[in-house]
Amino acid sequence: MFRALRLDPVLIQAVIAGALSFAHLHDLAAAAGQDGWKAWAYPVSVDLLLVAAWRRMRKNSGNRDAWLWFAIALIASLGANVATAGLLDMNDVPDWLRILVAGWPALAFLGGTLLAHAPTPEPEVASDPAAEPDHEAAVQDLVVERVPEPAPELPPAEPASQEPPSTPETMPEPATPAPAASVPPALLDHARKIADAHHAQTGAPIDAVTLRARLGIPAPLADSIALQLA
């Protein structure tokens, strides 16, 4: 509890300065013809305008209106402090000062209203790359379907000639069969054993395809052996 009630020297200095400034403004307003409660309202008005301008400057340091009204309220406070320091005859206040004191409420009301209703700048929001549309992905996902082109039309077939085909004078001679491949005797004996076994099992002579599969030999050689075994 004692720690919570610890006094700060800076806070004490601020309270003393505020009280002196408050008293000077009250004395100046009273000397300018504002008696009673009206003299006490002037320092409250000046201090409230200072606080409103300072808060606006804290939110937006580049606000020129806040700086302007802060300077006006500061000049009013400093002017009252200087005027009541013996430089001004408090029993004979000049007319221009009476005009300034009488016009201060309207000026303070205007400044407070402008500061209270000034638009607050919105904080800049950094753009998120993930939220932005990926144009490259959209291009990659785009599938272009091409319409197949129609097949070119073929020209109509020419009618066959009505003339009978000419008979060649000389007929081609039939092609002579190729000579049978030579078969080694040992391979032929082995093939004959396989053919006999096949005939004993199936009752039919072995063909060239089966003989080729059993011996693992080329087709021409299998055909030659089959002819010799027939």
Side-chain angles (χ1 to χ4, degrees):
M1 180 177 181
F2 289 102
R3 291 182 179 178
L5 295 177
R6 185 178 57 183
L7 298 179
D8 189 353
V10 178
L11 181 60
I12 296 174
Q13 182 67 26
V15 171
I16 295 175
L20 292 175
S21 178
F22 195 91
H24 292 160
L25 286 168
H26 169 268
D27 295 343
L28 182 62
Q34 307 295 329
D35 54 351
W37 66 270
K38 293 182 289 184
W40 293 106
Y42 274 87
V44 175
S45 176
V46 174
D47 291 343
L48 287 179
L49 185 59
L50 275 173
V51 173
W54 176 78
R55 293 188 60 182
R56 179 60 60 180
M57 290 163 54
R58 286 287 302 273
K59 293 182 180 179
N60 185 11
S61 59
N63 193 333
R64 296 182 179 180
D65 293 340
W67 283 97
L68 174 62
W69 290 108
F70 184 83
I72 292 174
L74 185 61
I75 291 173
S77 179
L78 292 177
N81 295 334
V82 174
T84 55
L87 300 179
L88 182 66
D89 186 3
M90 302 298 292
N91 297 322
D92 188 12
V93 178
D95 295 339
W96 61 267
L97 184 57
R98 294 176 182 272
I99 295 174
L100 289 178
V101 173
W104 173 257
L107 184 64
F109 175 77
L110 176 62
T113 303
L114 294 177
L115 291 174
H117 297 282
T120 303
E122 298 181 358
E124 297 182 359
V125 180
S127 58
D128 188 4
E132 296 181 357
D134 192 355
H135 299 285
E136 296 182 359
V139 173
Q140 293 179 359
D141 295 341
L142 181 62
V143 178
V144 180
E145 297 183 359
R146 300 184 61 185
V147 179
E149 298 180 357
E153 297 181 359
L154 298 176
E158 296 181 358
S161 177
Q162 300 297 330
E163 297 180 359
S166 59
T167 303
E169 297 180 358
T170 58
M171 297 296 295
E173 296 181 357
T176 57
S182 59
V183 182
L187 180 61
L188 185 60
D189 294 340
H190 182 62
R192 185 174 286 108
K193 293 179 181 180
I194 294 176
D196 293 342
H198 180 77
H199 185 272
Q201 293 178 358
T202 61
I206 193 171
D207 56 343
V209 177
T210 306
L211 189 62
R212 176 187 176 187
R214 294 286 186 87
L215 296 176
I217 57 178
L221 185 59
D223 294 340
S224 179
I225 293 175
L227 289 176
Q228 296 185 30
L229 295 178

